[in-house]
Amino acid sequence: MIKVLDTNHTGITVQDLNYTVGYFTKVLGYELVGEPASRSLTNMEKVTGVKNCDVEIAYVKGGGHAIELLQYNGPDDRQVYKPRCVDVGHWHLSINVEDLEAATEESLRFGCSKVGDQIIVDDGPNKGNKIQYIALKDGLVVELTWIANRTRLRS
């Protein structure tokens, strides 16, 4: 078994880099780490296995975690991937917030939408937590979570 040292970052491909950076920095208070920048086309083609994958990348950091936001501007045959939360391959990012209602309202003002209704977890290690799924304009789902008991496991 390989020993994992820590998690470097989570990478998310987005439709509009500036909008998504704005959401993380202006709504959630993440820090932009350096300015968004293009990367070597040759390296990106090698690492993705896709020709003409021109990309701009920005990193945001907050809550003890770094997120790599990638906006590909090529190739021309890119697909928009918007699965529902129940579809295989869907994933979401869970962010613990101090005030769920305020975070939800700020997200809505920023142009996001609610995916479903706010819930209170009724069983398991996260019992009592309040959760609201939020979708950014390009379909990225963020789970805003208020932790009822910070000594228990987090979602």
Side-chain angles (χ1 to χ4, degrees):
M1 181 179 293
I2 295 173
K3 180 180 178 185
V4 174
L5 302 176
D6 55 26
T7 299
N8 188 290
H9 66 267
T10 300
I12 305 169
T13 300
V14 301
Q15 190 170 19
D16 183 336
L17 188 62
N18 291 328
Y19 170 80
T20 308
V21 166
Y23 178 74
F24 279 96
T25 59
K26 295 174 184 172
V27 175
L28 298 176
Y30 278 56
E31 171 193 358
L32 177 61
V33 181
E35 291 299 314
S38 295
R39 296 298 193 266
S40 161
L41 183 60
T42 302
N43 280 346
M44 293 311 295
E45 286 178 345
K46 285 180 182 178
V47 75
T48 64
V50 177
K51 293 285 184 200
N52 301 315
C53 59
D54 180 36
V55 69
E56 255 191 291
I57 299 176
Y59 287 89
V60 292
K61 197 173 188 181
H65 189 68
I67 301 171
E68 177 187 43
L69 301 169
L70 305 101
Q71 178 184 321
Y72 286 93
N73 301 309
D76 293 335
D77 65 346
R78 289 172 297 132
Q79 298 175 18
V80 176
Y81 177 70
K82 289 187 180 181
R84 298 169 302 161
C85 295
V86 298
D87 293 334
V88 174
H90 178 272
W91 69 276
H92 66 269
L93 182 64
S94 180
I95 297 173
N96 299 332
V97 296
E98 183 177 55
D99 184 333
L100 180 60
E101 288 72 19
T104 299
E105 288 306 312
E106 276 299 308
S107 296
L108 296 175
R109 276 195 286 280
F110 200 77
C112 301
S113 59
K114 291 181 182 181
V115 173
D117 297 325
Q118 182 185 126
I119 64 148
I120 297 176
V121 179
D122 58 4
D123 199 10
N126 295 314
K127 185 176 181 176
N129 290 2
K130 294 192 299 184
I131 294 172
Q132 176 68 61
Y133 278 18
I134 295 292
L136 279 69
K137 290 179 183 179
D138 59 7
L140 169 63
V141 174
V142 175
E143 175 186 333
L144 299 174
T145 304
W146 175 81
I147 303 294
N149 183 343
R150 297 207 55 89
T151 61
R152 281 190 265 165
L153 293 175
R154 295 178 172 95
S155 60

